[in-house]
């Protein structure tokens, strides 16, 4: 069966807009409407189910984040996956193992805001052609669309 995706963001999300009221309804056809054994269930900060994915196909946090990037239009560097029951951050390269007796794994996705304080550094790195510095700044959540005070 295909992954069940229950909500798709119309715009890029910020942490304060993780509700279904901000998302158009979009459903993928699936034969299972409820949680099935061996699934990864992804919730938003409000506890609403965003995705239900087969654990065998989405066996790492990185794979889950890539799925969410495609459907939520939020880059993986802005996503943090945490364990739903403990709020512990997830190591995205570690294998996802079932945490419940029925073989499911429940995660919460937190969408982080860009850091405007890194904009000038990112613009300088781009101007200097320093791709390593630019990449590092983007992973530190520099806004790729940010401008400095003068509009550049």
């Amino acid at each position: 069966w295909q992954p069940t995706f229950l909500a798709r963001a119309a715009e890029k999300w910020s942490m304060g807009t993780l509700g279904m009221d901000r998302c158009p309804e979009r459903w993928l056809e699936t034969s299972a409407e409820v949680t099935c054994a061996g699934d990864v269930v992804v919730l938003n900060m409000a506890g609403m189910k965003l995705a239900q994915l087969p654990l065998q196909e989405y066996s790492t946090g990185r794979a889950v984040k890539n799925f969410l990037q495609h459907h939520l239009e939020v880059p993986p560097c802005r996503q943090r996956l945490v364990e739903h029951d403990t709020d512990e951050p997830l190591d995205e390269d570690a294998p996802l193992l079932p945490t419940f007796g029925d073989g499911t794994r429940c995660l919460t996705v937190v969408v982080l805001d860009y850091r405007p304080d890194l904009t000038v550094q990112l613009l300088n790195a781009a101007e200097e052609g320093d791709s390593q510095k630019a990449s590092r700044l983007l992973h530190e959540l520099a806004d790729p669309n940010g401008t400095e005070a003068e509009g550049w």
Side-chain angles (χ1 to χ4, degrees), residues 7-42:
R8 177 177 163 84
E11 301 172 350
K12 290 184 178 181
W13 285 15
S14 67
M15 194 163 21
T17 60
L18 282 174
M20 295 279 282
D21 58 328
R22 302 272 183 179
C23 306
E25 290 183 10
R26 178 172 172 133
W27 305 88
L28 296 178
E29 297 296 328
T30 181
S31 60
E33 291 297 321
V34 296
T35 303
C36 299
D39 283 349
V40 177
V41 177
V42 182

Side-chain angles (χ1 to χ4, degrees), residues 81-152:
L81 294 173
V82 296
E83 298 290 342
H84 179 67
D85 54 347
T86 65
D87 293 332
E88 291 293 319
L90 184 74
D91 176 1
E92 64 183 44
D93 293 318
L96 292 176
L97 302 173
T99 54
F100 294 104
D102 63 358
T104 61
R105 182 72 180 253
C106 191
L107 304 173
T108 300
V109 62
V110 178
V111 178
L112 304 173
D113 288 327
Y114 285 119
R115 292 183 46 200
D117 60 304
L118 298 177
T119 298
V120 172
Q121 292 178 51
L122 180 61
L123 291 171
N124 290 339
E127 188 175 279
E128 296 164 4
D130 190 343
S131 61
Q132 289 181 340
K133 183 177 180 181
S135 179
R136 180 183 55 78
L137 288 165
L138 288 169
H139 284 283
E140 292 176 14
L141 300 175
D143 187 351
N145 299 313
T147 60
E148 59 184 337
E150 298 170 1
W152 296 101

Side-chain angles (χ1 to χ4, degrees), residues 54-66:
L55 187 57
Q56 289 181 323
E57 293 177 41
Y58 297 90
S59 59
T60 64
R62 187 178 305 278
V64 172
K65 288 169 88 170
N66 287 336

